[in-house]
Amino acid sequence: MKNYTLRLNLAINKINIAYLASINNESVSEAELCFMYALDDDKTHSQREICHDWLIHKTTLNTIAKRYERKGLIVFTPMPGTRREMLITLTEKGKEYVKEKLAFIYRAEKKAIKKTIEQYDESFISALETYGQNLKLAFEEAETKKNGFIKR
């Protein structure tokens, strides 16, 4: 089993390295790439949701978001039922900016996913999603039981 997880973790690292290499000449940070990616689904997202789903530190997200707001790329709207939580939405200008910045990545992803699905079909995505859910549950269970894992 250890060999499987090692192979999987190395594959995930190679994916992450590929994304980082794609932004190397763009003067875009990894956090900013994640921020753009999170918002480029035509939905409104809360700051908390983006931080949680994309592992962006709150202060980093706020710095990026304020810069984008000053440039007219996003708008903040108060989240109903909360005092301070804000929802973030791309403006039309922001949608154009993000599409332009992510175009190279989307083309590479499209090519890579096409080749991968031809070889393995789309079930590999479901398998990765299931593995992610199972790993999260295993860590939560281990934390609850203090089952020999290092408590953080």
Side-chain angles (χ1 to χ4, degrees):
M1 287 295 160
K2 185 176 180 178
N3 189 39
Y4 291 139
T5 56
L6 178 62
R7 287 175 54 203
L8 180 59
N9 285 327
L10 287 172
I12 291 168
N13 281 341
K14 287 179 183 178
I15 292 168
N16 290 336
I17 289 167
Y19 279 104
L20 291 175
S22 76
I23 61 170
N24 195 24
N25 297 330
E26 290 291 323
S27 69
V28 172
S29 70
E30 180 179 0
E32 187 175 352
L33 172 65
C34 292
F35 182 73
M36 288 189 290
Y37 215 98
L39 292 175
D40 195 31
D41 63 359
D42 295 322
K43 296 179 184 174
T44 298
H45 297 276
S46 73
Q47 294 164 293
R48 181 172 296 169
E49 175 189 352
I50 294 170
C51 288
H52 179 266
D53 291 350
W54 294 89
L55 300 175
I56 303 172
H57 193 274
K58 189 169 117 177
T59 56
T60 303
L61 175 81
N62 289 338
T63 300
I64 296 167
K66 288 294 182 189
R67 184 168 14 100
Y68 274 52
E69 182 184 37
R70 282 191 304 274
K71 291 180 177 182
L73 303 175
I74 63 166
V75 291
F76 288 109
T77 53
M79 185 171 178
T82 66
R83 290 188 313 142
R84 296 186 322 194
E85 186 78 19
M86 301 296 276
L87 296 172
I88 302 172
T89 309
L90 285 171
T91 62
E92 287 306 313
K93 180 180 175 182
K95 288 177 184 178
E96 291 173 21
Y97 175 82
V98 168
K99 291 272 188 249
E100 178 187 318
K101 285 287 191 183
L102 297 180
F104 174 76
I105 290 172
Y106 288 156
R107 283 192 304 273
E109 287 174 336
K110 184 177 180 179
K111 184 176 181 179
I113 202 78
K114 182 179 185 287
K115 288 176 77 172
T116 305
I117 288 174
E118 285 172 0
Q119 190 172 353
Y120 295 100
D121 79 39
E122 69 275 358
S123 66
F124 88 96
I125 298 168
S126 297
L128 282 173
E129 290 169 337
T130 300
Y131 176 73
Q133 292 165 352
N134 289 338
L135 185 61
K136 180 180 183 284
L137 290 173
F139 278 124
E140 288 170 356
E141 183 180 303
E143 181 68 23
T144 301
K145 293 180 180 178
K146 295 183 179 84
N147 199 13
F149 285 74
I150 297 171
K151 186 169 170 61
R152 296 178 187 209

